Amino acid sequence: MTERLAAYVRKGTGAGDNKLMKKEKARLGLGVSLAFVVLLVLPYVKPEIDGSLREKWGMAATVDSGRIQNTILNNSNGDKIRYVALSYDDGPNPIYTEQLLEVLEKENVRASFFMMGKQVEAYPKLVKKVADGGHLIGNHTYSHVNVCQLPETRVREEIQKTNELIFDACGQSPEWFRPPFGCNREKLIATLDMYQIFWNVDPLDWSVQNTGTIVNHVLKYVSDGDIILMHDAYPTTVEATKILIPKLRAMGYSFVTVDEMIQP
Ligand SMILES: [Zn+2]
């Protein structure tokens, strides 16, 4: 039986956010331990999600707190195993998704891909390839819209159309939704039977497009239970991934998909 520790996910980008998140994580530790004591003692009572915990857990609280998955296990030596999830948005891309899949396959790493419906429509075979590689496929709207600036009906269309295209391409209907620009529509997403998911570490790969800068940012800010945001649309991101995987492994990290990090 595994030890349980909650992962939490919230969006954050720069150094300031990351510092804040580390503090929050430390504070969260005690709260999480207490929460699990309660869960062990009262396994049949569904716990209420406390408002302040909801805030700290950010999007993980979208998922019932009693169902938040453990992220920490011990290996055979009793050492803590640390987990990290690589995630890629805005694809599939006709050039770089395939290159990225080769890197991931060679390293035996499964990642999470949040796809845009219009890219799915244009490159359905790539969607199938991603799915066949055992990676998680999530929804990132049809046309990369800001879901906070659209009426509900339009948001539903954007998401449902994308789900249908992904299903047609690979036979899977996504459960996970990552909103473009990190805009929170938690309640609406829940009505679609989907989970909203953000990220913790954002190297701004789309902006810097510099392999070294991406690698350095991730290695500087990564910690256990983090979800790293990148985009399978740039050669520098593919190169950065190639460098990051062995470096993160050397730091003791194992790679999981976002659903494994936060199990619904
Ligand atoms: Zn995006």
Side-chain angles (χ1 to χ4, degrees), residues 44-105:
Y44 302 109
V45 178
K46 190 180 168 189
E48 287 290 314
I49 299 179
D50 172 77
S52 61
L53 265 187
R54 177 177 280 281
E55 201 175 291
K56 282 178 188 169
W57 268 332
M59 293 329 301
T62 305
V63 184
D64 184 312
S65 66
R67 293 186 292 170
I68 290 175
Q69 171 78 319
N70 58 298
T71 65
I72 293 185
L73 300 167
N74 293 325
N75 67 17
S76 54
N77 298 322
D79 298 330
K80 197 174 88 171
I81 298 176
R82 303 195 282 180
Y83 287 91
V84 69
L86 299 177
S87 68
Y88 300 91
D89 288 8
D90 298 1
N93 178 285
I95 302 168
Y96 302 112
T97 300
E98 206 141 18
Q99 290 183 10
L100 188 62
L101 287 175
E102 278 171 27
V103 173
L104 295 171
E105 191 183 352

Side-chain angles (χ1 to χ4, degrees), residues 89-90 140 144 180 231:
D89 288 8
D90 298 1
H140 196 50
H144 211 271
H231 299 78

Side-chain angles (χ1 to χ4, degrees), residues 132-174:
D132 288 347
H135 306 286
L136 177 133
I137 297 180
N139 184 321
H140 196 50
T141 73
Y142 179 79
S143 52
H144 211 271
V145 290
N146 185 332
V147 291
C148 289
Q149 292 174 355
L150 288 180
E152 197 172 313
T153 48
R154 280 277 289 117
V155 176
R156 285 179 188 283
E157 275 169 27
E158 281 272 340
I159 297 172
Q160 282 167 336
K161 187 174 178 184
T162 303
N163 276 351
E164 284 162 18
L165 286 164
I166 290 172
F167 184 82
D168 289 347
C170 71
Q172 292 179 20
S173 192

